[in-house]
Amino acid sequence: MAHVLGFPRIGAKRELKVALEAFWGNEIPQGRLLAIGRELRALHWQRQRDAGLDFVTVGDFAWYDSVLQTSAHLGCAPVRFGFDPRALTLPDYFTLARGDANHPAMEMTKWFDTNYHYLVPEWSSDTRFDGGVEWLFEEVKQAKGLGHPVKVALIGPLTLLHAGKIKSGLSSKLDLLPRMVPAYQRLLARLKELEVGWVQIDEPLLGLDLEERWLAAFPSTYEALAPSSPKILLATYFESVAERETMLKSLPVSGIHLDIVRAPQQLATFLNGYPESKVLSLGIVDGRNVWRTDLDAALASLNPARERLGERLWVSASCSLLHVPVDLGHEKALVPEIRQWLAFAVQKLDEIVALKRGLGGDGIAPALIASREASASRMRSERARSDAVRRQLDTLSERDIRRPSPFAIRIRKQRARLKLPLLPTTTIGSFPQTPEIRKARAAFRRGALVREAYADAMRAEIRRAVARQEKLGLDVLVHGEAERNDMVEYFGEQLRGFAFTENGWVQSYGSRCVKPPVIYGDVSRPGPITVEWARYAQSLTEKPMKGMLTGPITMLQWSFVRDDQPREKTAFQIALALREEVLDIERAGIAIIQIDEPALREGLPLRKRDWGRYLDWAVRAFKLVSSGVADETQIHTHMCYAEFNDILPAIAALDADVITIETSRSDMELLEGFGEFRYPNEIGPGVYDIHSPRVPDAGEMLKLLEKAERVIPLERLWVNPDCGLKTRGWTETEAALARMVEAARRMRARAATREHHAA
Ligand code: GLN
Ligand code: ZN
């Protein structure tokens, strides 16, 4: 059998996004939104059938998020909203996702190591699994009505439970399991009544480091579900589950799915003594990346399984196709040579079917030939190869990733050069991206504005930003990043080895999509990227101006990365290109250079045993960018919105002179980690949350600074917001920054009196 674990729901042209936003804006009635959802599902199922899959997958559709959708099916919406779970309406569901005047939205977090964000279920002793919406059953009826063979996909109970957060009254999430299981039983029984033959239950949780009690919950849970359920295919992905082999093989399910793109070695483990009664579904087409599958290699990996299992072998993608763009067919501007290397969701369906046919010995000759040609072209491509970059990387030594002097010496020289006050104030880089800026960029892209006119508009923007910062009395200025559409795309567009799609959208959360660049070849820098902007900005002021770059790990993490060499190799190539940029900025007379790495934490592997290796190369890549400068040049980095306490040693190992981090949401809790760890260099804990239009008063920020002082000595503290300000308006930005500067002044004044008294 050939099948997928899920298909992107957003639509090749983001039709669902457009419809959702129109509905939220009261531009279309609910009936119209429902109709668009129906049409998209029908289209996506038809795609699966046309390709030749044996099932269509139902249940992968969600109005906002699949975890929230599952909660809606089970009738377990967060209690604090006060909705009747038996009668949850679509507007209620959107209120859970987006909040309203009286209820903050449910929290959002990343789904495993993807860039997809789910809404975090809220568990408490009051949580009930009661009733639930009819949507899934309606979708099943829709698919059946269209004549499709149906497999339903659901997020599994243990993964769902684990994905939530305890809000109150529970000592363990597992305490809710006895209430949750009957809800799943009801749901599965209804599916059986509807004559659904197979249900795919996703338990990616099995790929994580798990406490024994979570693992122990699997057998009893599935023993409770199996009797009332359609046949169960238990789906694992993103990691090896080889360590859980014995338990998985003995579960009362009819099949298991393995991700053999991420974890190919586990196949042999499972094949050895695989139960006669079970199907094995192998995810061999990459659901996390955009490269065309090498069908010869894939067939070679699948063949031993075919010999052992015969018809019990199913072929699929590694995970849901949610994480790749929809259809390469809509890419008209990509260079043909690069285009032939790629496969988006629609193309992956064909690959899955080609593999199934290949295993059965029927004709896949044309597909095989095309795949061979594409692989050969990729291997031989001149466009993708730079011998100069490779030679340069080979000659790097440890000296290239170490600053000439230790921090204690550097900071003395930097202080002498910069002459900053105690508690220097600064911002993270971007200023409001006003409609005028966007208009100018769009006109430039369209060709309606010539390069020089566009540059003039951006320079005018920089002048305004500098004037505003001077007036506010900030100590270290930024140019404001007006010329950047996106912090990764902007650099990618000016580096070799990156390609950009027109419609390569991937859902990030709700109606929001991202269009990750494609790193297809060796990365190098044809010329300076930011230097002229930085030089111009510095020419407008006596105050130090920060040069501003996106770091190599963030560039990697927010792109589709080539899979024909280790990720770290690509990271070093990006780092080398950025190192040249850093040196050019330094030569232009800029004294402070910030290298942003907000995605350092999210690149962490799922299993702790792999953390060390990743952090080692990630740190080396950063240091390759930052270590070529003189002692007198101050290197900053910035990170935000992640749990940093468990990677503090690596953050310290970056050896940036200053780190600015987002902390205000956790009321500086994060900073305590830095204190306990005795973070050695300077640090700017964010003193206000940039995600809210609320302007905090100086007193609030002062309190946060006092808290910070308890863990980091004043001499090593900076004062700044949590993150960049590009999503805010100027009025609130100026008001908030004025108060931030005021808070820093008051703090300095206190320190001065204290010193006076001491003397
Ligand atoms: N310098 C970037 C900005 O200010 C940093 C953005 C980020 O951390 N995501 O927008
Ligand atoms: Zn940030």
Side-chain angles (χ1 to χ4, degrees), residues 527-555:
I529 302 171
T530 63
V531 180
E532 276 321 305
W533 301 116
R535 194 199 308 272
Y536 177 70
Q538 183 65 83
S539 77
L540 302 170
T541 176
E542 297 291 312
K543 298 245 170 107
M545 174 65 60
K546 280 196 273 191
M548 194 65 63
L549 301 178
T550 304
I553 305 305
T554 300
M555 294 290 293

Side-chain angles (χ1 to χ4, degrees), residues 131-153:
V133 297
E134 291 287 307
W135 306 341
L136 181 61
F137 312 123
E138 285 155 15
E139 289 167 21
V140 168
K141 287 178 203 155
Q142 185 196 352
K144 293 213 158 219
L146 292 166
H148 299 309
V150 168
K151 179 199 66 186
V152 168

Side-chain angles (χ1 to χ4, degrees), residues 58-102:
V58 177
D60 54 356
F61 183 83
W63 290 112
Y64 197 96
D65 158 48
S66 36
V67 173
L68 180 62
Q69 199 93 355
T70 312
S71 307
H73 297 329
L74 298 168
C76 62
V79 189
R80 65 183 169 91
F81 287 85
F83 293 132
D84 174 3
R86 293 172 174 277
L88 191 83
T89 65
L90 195 53
D92 296 344
Y93 170 100
F94 288 132
T95 303
L96 297 171
R98 308 174 67 229
D100 65 16
N102 305 317

Side-chain angles (χ1 to χ4, degrees), residues 427-431 480-481 484 487 548-550 554 558 594 596-598 638-641 722-726:
T427 61
I428 306 304
S430 60
F431 276 126
E481 303 180 25
R484 302 184 189 177
M487 64 188 288
M548 194 65 63
L549 301 178
T550 304
T554 300
W558 293 350
Q594 178 173 316
D596 291 326
E597 283 291 24
H638 164 72
M639 289 173 202
C640 49
Y641 309 109
D722 266 348
C723 191
L725 296 159
K726 71 192 239 187

Side-chain angles (χ1 to χ4, degrees), residues 468-482:
R468 282 173 156 138
Q469 293 173 85
E470 294 216 301
K471 190 152 164 262
L472 284 162
L474 287 156
D475 301 307
V476 171
L477 310 196
V478 297
H479 79 290
E481 303 180 25

